[in-house]
Structure formats: structure tokens, C-alpha cells
């Protein structure tokens, strides 16, 4: 247990001690070796890297050096990442065997280990994180502490203004003032729908009830998205603090966070954050003598996408099958165990403390007219810099894909990007300059979604993509209502037919009709949005659907049944790469001569297409 | 089993928490565990069965000693993870959701495990293989086959 005075003292002392984390000219003799311990880097052995560093430091008896685990730095594609502070030197793709050299050269002799520096897209070697193009257009609000602090150490969180917003709220603001501030900031839900957060808080506050709950949605079901996970892994306390502020504002003293069981590290770190907050007297009864009680509990999901839908999530917390409820009543009035409940997404919460501390005015100065602040995206697919990026609303897709993401690998062309996952839509080349905000994305038939942003190059077939998403929805439909259960299956069957070369005239129109019906008649958002990927690919790539149906042709070469591969003699230079990589020896040809494919033998695996450095092989 | 149950109150809402722990511990949800949970929480077996079958994480059959899960999330799919899955099926001679006869391997197609930055990704038990290729998978399986224990 710590009093508020003690917490403030910790903040002051720790802040001085940790100045080197954010200040390259910090007055210190210490060095901190920050090692990314997010999911990406952990899976490429960053735990071992941390152990090695610690062992070597101990063996060599080096003083004034600390090894710190942090959350994700964002540039996961270049992981495992190690950063040395205060000088802010950034090493990429570090292996456990590199630790010794880093210690001997860098820490002991002040020499930079050149070979571990990262090369930027323009081939310049970069020393500091901020110098990378990847970071230049980013603005970190929700991810402010990710990669700066040790997420398992509450005092490091406290050092960087942690639990200061809670203090401000408990002692200097009424619940109404807090809600007013959040409303004025213009913050909208980051879980997908973009509902104004302040208004949701107000509804929950106004609802009648002896008991109310605050819930955090950390189900993160969009496959290919990991923003929420990274926040929970890199800065769990900021979500704890925000949920407490929400509890104070709406009149709830109990909170639940619903996390996917597939995220063990996030679960563990969040639990640890709860435990430390209790130990420090931040969670519990009569917090800092303010009269406010609050406690938190973690609940695990169990692999059902529909449980990300808020009412299904509540069912699941109650221990039941996660089937959505009919709305209204909305959770704000009848939520968890029938009580008024506030549900927000992880990233929504991650913005709260910053709004309280810096003011609504500051927050609303960032972004576009109707979409304020920043949005975190998980950038993936055919793009050079895959990872986590946070940009001001209004940034264009082109800036994200080319300036931050470094463009498309292997000299390929951009074809489309998908936002909003299985509920969203694709954005084709002609809309690359669309500013990313809620309204603009909707206007072009996609949606913001939770933040998955998958880039596709010209080897990707859009009909196949639509089939992929439909396959997902069919698997995940909870089965409660017929249009969604049966309708999506129908659509999937039609898409399968088309990709197998059995499409018929009129199929496109049939798909469109079905889509409209499913959207109109489904109970929950899953069914209502399931046809979106089909509709948007038809909207922008109707010609491609036609080619599949009328000419039984898949130009991208992904639909195997339609593939007839051939090598363009004009482009082939006879390098033999295709031949060496073909698993069934279907390619023949002499060095420096045009190669040819034996159609009988070819199993249409597509390997040769991606291997040919001259793009000579076409489907 | 008693140890797991002991951690929870008899509140019905604890069902999914308990099932998650059981799944984690045994690798599936054995029938006798269901009976014990049913008595402990006063929930019918039918309800428990309904919950188990609703959530894809819960399985009723034991998994192989080495559980291979290939991610078919969007980021991995776009980077060609289907080929890795096809290869795993071919190499192990089983389909998704099955276990080899000797109980050694089982295969699953998962949704995103959150390591999309390293796509395509597959896992063998807890170990994550990022930026994977068909070759990485071959090597991972061969390694296990060569070292029986
Ligand atoms: C099928 C479906 C899946 C959803 N999945 C998620 C999810 O994984 N995470 C999330 O935060 N919201 C998800 N949502 C949105 C939630 O229902 C809800 O709008 C959100 O949690 C509210 O929080 P916010 O206002 O802070 O965005 C999903 C909605 C639907 C219809
Ligand atoms: S729309 Fe689909 S997921 Fe939603 S309730 Fe109906 S069947 Fe279930
Ligand atoms: S890889 Fe391309 S250039 Fe090389 S032999 Fe094959 S088709 Fe010709
Ligand atoms: S598609 Fe596959 S099987 Fe056919 S020629 Fe190319 S590499 Fe060989
Ligand atoms: S997990 Fe290490 S940079 Fe993202
Ligand atoms: S899509 Fe495979 S790890 Fe996210």
C-alpha cells in the first residue's frame, strides 16, 4: 500500500532516473539496453537475448548498465530489436550470439556495431530509431509508452505520468466534467464502429442501476491485427488507469477485461499490472482516501470471432455460448448480468489518460474534422515494413504504404489494401490518396475497422480474397440467424464455383443480391458486414470477376484450377531459378535459354511465379 | 482437476475460465473433467457440451504430442501460409483437426496469433516460427522425427 504522496514521490525520483529513456542528452552515467519483448520479437528469441545480456554483464562485472524488457517498438519485421539508451542506437535482427559483441564494442568501448544497424528502404544505414522513414510520419499517443518502459514494472509506468490522470480525475474533476472532456476531445471508438466515446460514457452514467460495470474489449478478432495485443503487452497500466477513470465517470466499481486466450503474454502482463496496482493501493477500496472503490478481473476468450461483438462478449463473460443479443436494449442500459455496462476497446482506453492530462483541445487539434486523434494500424501483407504504426487521422493510405511501409517488395505493384478485416473492404490503387478517417473509408466502401491493414500486390486475386474472407465468416457465424448462417455459406459456394472455373453468367448479380439480403436481415454486425469484402471487390474489380467467369482466367495466378502458366520468352533470361525451385521438375531449359513449362507435369503451385526475378512467368 | 476447480468460486460465469485451464493442462477436455465441472458449478452436461463445441479453442479429443498450428490469418494468408499448411498435411498424412496414429503430431489451422509482423507463421507447441517457408516446416518436422524424445 502506498499513499498518494508516496506515489508522487516515486514518480519524481523514477522520472529523473529514467530520463535517459527519452532524452538523448540525459545527465547520466548509466546505459539501458532495451530489448523488445513483444510477441514478434519473443518468437525470434528475444528472451534468450535478454538472458545473454544479463549473463555477460554479470560475468564481466560491468557497472551502470541495465537490461530492460519492453513492449513492441513497431518495426516487428526487423526484430528482434535492441536499443541502447540514452544514445538511442538501434540494432535490428539481433541474435543471441550478437550480445557479446554489443557489450564489448558498444557498451565497453563506445563503438557502434555497424553490421547490426538497420538499412532503410533507400539503403541508407540508420543509427537512430527516429531517423527511420518508418517513424517519421508517425505520432505516438496510444503507443506512447510502448518500447519505452518495462511493462511489468509499475514504477516505470508511474515515472512517465502514470496514474497522474487518475489523481487529477479523482480529486479535481466531477464525473460530468470528465465525460465532458472526453466528449470534447472528439474521441471515437477504436473497436470498429467509431461511436463517440464520450456519448457512450454519458449513456452509461445516466442509466439507472445499483451496480454498473466497465468492460474492456480485448478480443481482437480481426485476423492480421495486433494493435490491442501490443498495447496490453507494452503498456498494460494505461488500460488499467483508463478503465478506472471510466469507472469513476459512469459510476462503476468493477471492471472486466476480456482477452483472447491466444494472447498468453498479454494476459500475463495485464494480470501482473492488476496485481501491482493492488499492491500499490491503486486498485481496491477507497483509493487514496477518495471514497472511490475499483477492482478489475481478467476473463479469457476461447477462440470465437463473434465474441468480439459486444453483446456476445458479455454472454461469454457470463460463462455462456457467445451468441449476440438483440439490440436494443444496449449494454449501456442492460449489459453484463443485466446491469448497465460500458464497453470500450483497448485502444480507445489507451487514449484516455493522455486526453485527461493534455486536454480535449490538444487532442482535437490532431486529425480531421470528424475523426480526431490518431489510429494504430497493424500493417501487414505485401509491404516492406510490416509492423505496428500509429498515425494522425487523415494520413493517406499512400503515405502509410509507401512512406512508412516502404512500398511493395520484390518490385511488384500495389493492387489493393484491405481495412476492417472480414467486415471491411478493399481499397484499390485509385483511392491511395484517400485520407484515412471514419467517413472517407466508409465513402469508398471500406471501413476503419479495428486497425488491420493488409496490403496486396498484383499477384493477389481479388475473387480469391473475397472467398478467403467469406470462408472466415462461414466458420465464425454463430448460427443464431438464418440469413447469416445459410446466406454466407451460399455466397461462399458461389465464390468457390467461380474460382474453380465453373462460374456462370449472372453469378455476379446473384452475389450482389444475396449480399444485400444478408446485410439487411442479420441480427448482429458479423452478418451485417460479412458481405462487405465481396461487395467491395466486385465494386472495384468487377472485370476480374468477369475474367474468371467468362474466360476462366485468373490473371493474378492464384486460382489454381484456372491457371495455365507460361514463360514469356521476351522476359526470360534463362537464369534457371524457376527450374531449381519447381517441386515436380516441370520446367526445362538450358542456362541462358528460354525455359518452358510442361503443362502436364505442372501442379500449379505458383512457386516459379514468385521466384522469377524478371517476372517472366504469368498465370 | 480439484486443484483447478479450487481456484474458482462456484459461480456459473467461471465456466469458460475453468475450461480454458483444463484445455491448457490436458490438451483437451476429458469427459470426466466435464462431469466434475458440471457438479461443481451445478451446470448440466448438455450446457457444458454446448459451450465446449461453441468455442474453437476447446477440443474433445486429445492432441498429438507435437501440436502444429499454421496461421491462416489474413496477414499470413497473403504471405502464402496456405502452402505451408498443405505441406504439413502432405507430410504428416493427416487433415486439419486430426492426430497421427502414433499420437505424435496433430494439426490445426489457426487464426491470427498476433505475430503478423513475422508472417507467415506457424507454431509447434509453444514455439513460434516466423517468416516461415515450406522448408522451415520440413526442417521443424524432420527434427522432431529424428529425435524421438
Ligand atoms: C463481429 C464483430 C466483431 C467485433 N470484434 C471486435 C473486436 O475484436 N474488438 C473490439 O474492440 N471490438 C469489436 N467489435 C466491436 C464491438 O462490438 C464494440 O463496438 C466495441 O468493442 C466498442 O468499443 P469502442 O466504442 O471503444 O470501439 C466487433 C463487432 C462485431 C460486430
Ligand atoms: S448475424 Fe451471424 S453471427 Fe450475428 S447473430 Fe446472426 S448468425 Fe450469429
Ligand atoms: S526464373 Fe524467370 S528468367 Fe529465370 S529461367 Fe525461369 S522464367 Fe526465365
Ligand atoms: S507452378 Fe509449380 S509445378 Fe508448375 S511449373 Fe511452376 S513451380 Fe513447377
Ligand atoms: S514485437 Fe518487437 S518490434 Fe514488434
Ligand atoms: S495473421 Fe498470422 S499471425 Fe496474424
Amino acid at each position: 500500500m502506498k499513499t498518494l504522496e508516496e506515489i508522487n514521490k516515486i514518480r519524481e525520483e523514477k522520472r529523473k532516473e529514467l530520463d535517459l529513456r527519452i532524452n538523448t542528452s540525459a545527465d547520466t552515467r548509466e546505459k539501458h539496453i532495451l530489448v523488445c519483448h513483444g510477441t514478434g520479437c519473443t518468437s525470434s528469441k528475444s528472451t534468450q537475448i535478454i538472458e545473454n545480456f544479463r549473463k555477460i554483464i554479470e560475468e564481466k562485472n560491468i557497472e551502470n548498465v541495465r537490461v530492460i524488457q519492453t513492449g513492441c517498438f513497431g518495426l516487428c519485421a526487423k526484430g528482434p530489436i535492441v536499443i541502447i539508451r540514452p544514445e538511442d542506437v538501434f540494432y535490428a535482427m539481433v541474435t543471441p550470439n550478437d550480445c557479446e559483441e554489443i557489450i564489448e564494442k558498444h557498451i565497453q568501448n563506445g563503438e557502434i556495431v555497424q553490421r547490426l544497424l538497420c538499412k532503410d528502404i533507400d539503403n541508407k544505414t540508420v543509427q537512430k530509431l527516429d531517423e527511420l522513414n518508418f517513424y517519421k510520419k508517425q505520432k505516438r499517443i496510444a503507443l506512447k509508452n510502448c518500447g519505452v518502459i518495462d511493462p511489468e514494472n509499475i514504477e516505470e509506468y508511474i515515472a512517465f505520468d502514470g496514474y497522474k490522470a487518475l489523481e487529477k480525475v479523482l480529486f479535481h474533476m466531477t464525473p460530468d466534467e470528465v465525460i465532458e472532456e472526453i466528449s470534447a476531445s472528439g474521441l471515437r471508438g477504436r473497436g470498429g464502429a467509431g461511436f463517440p466515446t464520450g456519448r457512450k460514457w454519458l449513456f452509461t452514467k445516466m442509466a439507472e442501476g445499483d451496480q454498473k460495470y466497465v468492460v474492456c474489449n480485448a478480443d481482437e478478432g480481426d485476423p492480421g491485427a495486433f494493435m490491442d495485443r501490443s498495447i496490453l503487452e507494452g503498456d498494460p497500466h494505461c488500460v488499467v488507469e483508463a478503465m478506472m477513470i471510466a469507472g469513476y465517470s459512469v459510476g462503476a466499481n468493477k471492471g472486466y477485461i476480456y482477452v483472447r486466450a491466444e494472447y498468453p503474454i498479454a494476459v500475463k502482463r495485464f494480470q501482473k499490472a492488476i496485481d501491482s496496482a493492488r499492491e500499490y493501493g491503486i486498485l481496491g477500496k477507497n483509493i487514496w482516501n477518495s471514497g472511490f472503490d475499483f477492482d478489475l478481473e481478467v476473463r479469457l476468450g476461447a477462440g470465437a470471432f463473434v465474441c468480439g461483438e459486444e453483446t456476445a462478449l458479455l454472454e461469454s463473460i457470463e460463462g455462456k455460448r457467445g451468441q449476440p443479443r438483440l439490440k436494443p436494449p444496449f449494454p449501456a442500459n442492460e449489459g453484463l448480468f443485466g446491469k448497465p455496462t460500458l464497453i470500450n476497446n483497448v485502444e480507445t482506453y489507451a487514449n484516455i489518460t493522455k486526453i485527461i492530462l493534455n486536454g480535449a483541445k490538444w487532442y482535437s487539434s490532431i486529425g480531421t474534422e470528424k475523426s480526431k486523434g490518431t489510429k494504430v494500424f497493424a500493417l501487414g501483407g505485401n509491404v516492406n515494413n510490416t509492423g505496428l504504426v500509429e498515425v494522425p487521422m487523415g494520413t493517406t493510405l499512400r503515405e502509410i504504404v509507401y512512406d512508412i511501409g516502404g512500398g511493395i517488395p520484390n518490385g511488384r505493384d500495389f493492387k489493393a489494401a484491405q481495412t476492417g478485416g472480414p467486415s471491411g473492404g478493399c481499397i484499390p490503387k485509385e483511392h491511395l490518396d484517400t485520407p484515412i478517417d471514419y467517413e472517407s473509408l466508409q465513402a469508398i466502401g471500406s471501413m476503419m475497422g479495428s486497425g488491420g491493414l493488409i496490403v496486396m500486390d498484383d499477384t493477389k486475386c481479388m475473387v480469391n480474397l473475397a472467398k478467403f474472407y467469406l470462408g472466415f465468416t462461414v466458420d465464425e457465424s454463430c448460427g443464431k440467424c438464418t440469413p447469416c448462417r445459410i446466406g454466407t455459406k451460399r455466397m461462399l459456394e458461389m465464390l468457390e464455383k467461380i474460382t474453380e472455373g465453373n462460374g456462370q453468367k449472372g453469378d455476379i448479380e446473384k452475389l450482389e443480391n444475396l449480399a444485400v439480403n444478408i446485410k439487411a436481415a442479420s441480427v448482429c454486425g458479423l452478418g451485417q458486414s460479412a458481405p462487405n469484402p465481396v461487395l467491395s471487390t466486385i465494386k472495384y474489380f468487377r472485370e476480374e470477376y468477369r475474367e474468371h467467369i467468362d474466360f476462366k482466367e485468373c490473371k493474378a495466378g492464384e486460382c489454381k484450377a484456372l491457371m495455365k502458366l507460361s514463360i514469356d520468352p521476351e522476359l526470360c533470361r534463362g537464369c534457371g531459378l524457376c527450374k531449381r525451385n519447381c517441386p515436380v521438375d516441370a520446367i526445362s531449359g538450358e542456362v541462358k535459354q528460354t525455359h518452358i513449362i510442361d503443362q502436364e507435369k505442372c501442379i500449379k503451385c505458383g512457386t516459379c511465379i514468385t521466384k522469377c526475378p524478371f517476372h517472366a512467368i504469368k498465370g | 482437476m480439484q486443484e483447478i476447480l479450487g481456484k474458482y468460486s462456484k459461480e456459473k460465469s467461471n465456466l469458460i475460465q475453468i475450461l480454458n485451464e483444463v484445455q491448457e493442462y490436458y490438451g483437451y477436455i476429458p469427459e470426466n473433467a466435464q462431469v466434475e465441472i458440471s457438479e461443481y458449478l451445478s451446470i448440466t452436461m448438455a450446457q457444458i457440451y454446448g459451450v465446449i463445441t461453441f468455442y474453437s479453442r476447446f477440443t474433445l479429443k486429445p492432441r498429438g504430442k507435437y501440436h502444429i498450428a499454421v496461421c491462416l490469418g489474413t496477414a499470413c494468408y497473403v504471405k502464402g501460409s496456405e502452402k505451408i499448411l498443405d505441406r504439413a498435411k502432405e507430410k504428416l498424412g493427416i487433415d486439419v483437426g486430426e492426430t497421427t496414429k502414433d499420437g505424435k503430431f496433430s494439426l490445426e489451422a489457426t487464426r491470427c496469433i498476433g505475430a503478423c509482423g513475422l508472417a507467415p507463421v506457424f507454431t509447434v507447441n509453444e514455439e513460434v516460427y516466423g517468416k516461415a517457408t515450406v522448408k522451415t516446416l520440413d526442417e521443424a518436422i524432420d527434427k522432431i522425427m529424428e529425435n524421438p524424445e
Side-chain angles (χ1 to χ4, degrees), chain A residues 412 459 556-558 560 563 565 581-583 602-612 617 619, chain B residues 83:
Chain A
R412 289 278 167 191
T459 63
E558 270 207 301
K560 286 187 201 169
M563 222 164 35
L565 294 179
N581 283 286
C582 174
C602 170
I603 54 164
K604 301 172 180 177
C605 70
T607 305
C608 56
I609 302 185
T610 48
K611 287 292 172 194
C612 176
I617 308 182
Chain B
K83 275 186 206 140

Side-chain angles (χ1 to χ4, degrees), chain A residues 125-142:
Chain A
T125 307
V126 172
Q127 255 189 35
K128 292 188 177 150
L129 205 61
D130 302 344
E131 291 169 2
L132 269 177
N133 284 317
F134 181 75
Y135 287 100
K136 280 186 189 151
K137 289 201 170 169
Q138 294 201 44
K139 183 169 181 69
R140 296 193 140 206
I141 296 175

Side-chain angles (χ1 to χ4, degrees), chain A residues 18 20-21 30-37 46 49-58 62-71 73 81-91 94 98-108 147-150 156:
Chain A
L18 297 182
L20 78 167
R21 294 282 176 82
E30 271 204 22
K31 281 199 194 306
H32 287 183
I33 304 178
L34 308 186
V35 183
C36 174
H37 214 207
S46 69
I49 294 174
I50 294 176
E51 279 169 20
N52 282 12
F53 272 133
R54 292 208 169 123
K55 209 173 86 211
I56 297 169
I57 288 170
E58 204 186 299
I62 308 174
E63 278 172 29
N64 292 330
V65 176
R66 275 164 61 191
V67 183
I68 320 275
Q69 60 156 351
T70 71
F73 291 108
I81 289 177
V82 170
I83 293 182
I84 319 271
R85 300 269 182 188
E87 55 267 50
D88 193 22
V89 168
F90 157 67
Y91 294 124
V94 177
D98 296 329
C99 295
E100 183 119 27
E101 189 176 345
I102 295 180
I103 296 280
E104 281 178 0
K105 274 206 181 139
H106 189 135
I107 301 294
Q108 293 188 303
V148 176
I149 63 169
D150 175 353
E156 295 210 348

Side-chain angles (χ1 to χ4, degrees), chain B residues 27-85:
Chain B
Y28 73 115
I29 318 264
E31 171 127 9
N32 58 354
Q34 295 174 42
V35 175
E36 284 188 55
I37 297 170
S38 157
E39 281 163 10
Y40 189 76
L41 298 178
S42 317
I43 300 179
T44 65
M45 286 292 281
Q47 275 171 320
I48 292 181
Y49 184 79
V51 168
I52 293 175
T53 50
F54 184 84
Y55 294 97
S56 64
R57 194 176 156 79
F58 303 142
T59 49
L60 292 161
K61 278 187 292 185
R63 285 175 165 178
K65 184 157 179 235
Y66 297 95
H67 185 68
I68 298 181
V70 182
C71 177
L72 281 193
T74 321
C76 290
Y77 182 82
V78 167
K79 290 263 181 97
S81 63
E82 209 179 17
K83 275 186 206 140
I84 297 174
L85 181 65

Side-chain angles (χ1 to χ4, degrees), chain A residues 40 43 77 223-224 226 229 260-261 299-303 316 318 320-322 381 386 460 464 468-469 472 475 605, chain B residues 13-17 20 50 54-58 72-75 77-79 83 111-114 116-118 128 131:
Chain A
S43 55
F226 57 104
R229 164 178 209 155
R260 316 177 65 194
R299 289 283 160 154
L300 296 189
S316 186
E318 293 176 13
K320 304 183 204 148
R321 291 162 67 95
T386 54
K460 297 292 167 302
N464 188 52
F468 167 77
Y469 280 118
F472 180 86
D475 275 354
C605 70
Chain B
S13 65
N14 285 329
L15 176 61
I16 292 171
Q17 301 298 105
N20 259 317
F54 184 84
Y55 294 97
S56 64
R57 194 176 156 79
F58 303 142
L72 281 193
T74 321
Y77 182 82
V78 167
K79 290 263 181 97
K83 275 186 206 140
R111 302 298 183 197
C112 184
I113 58 160
C116 328
L118 300 176
V128 183
K131 297 184 187 164

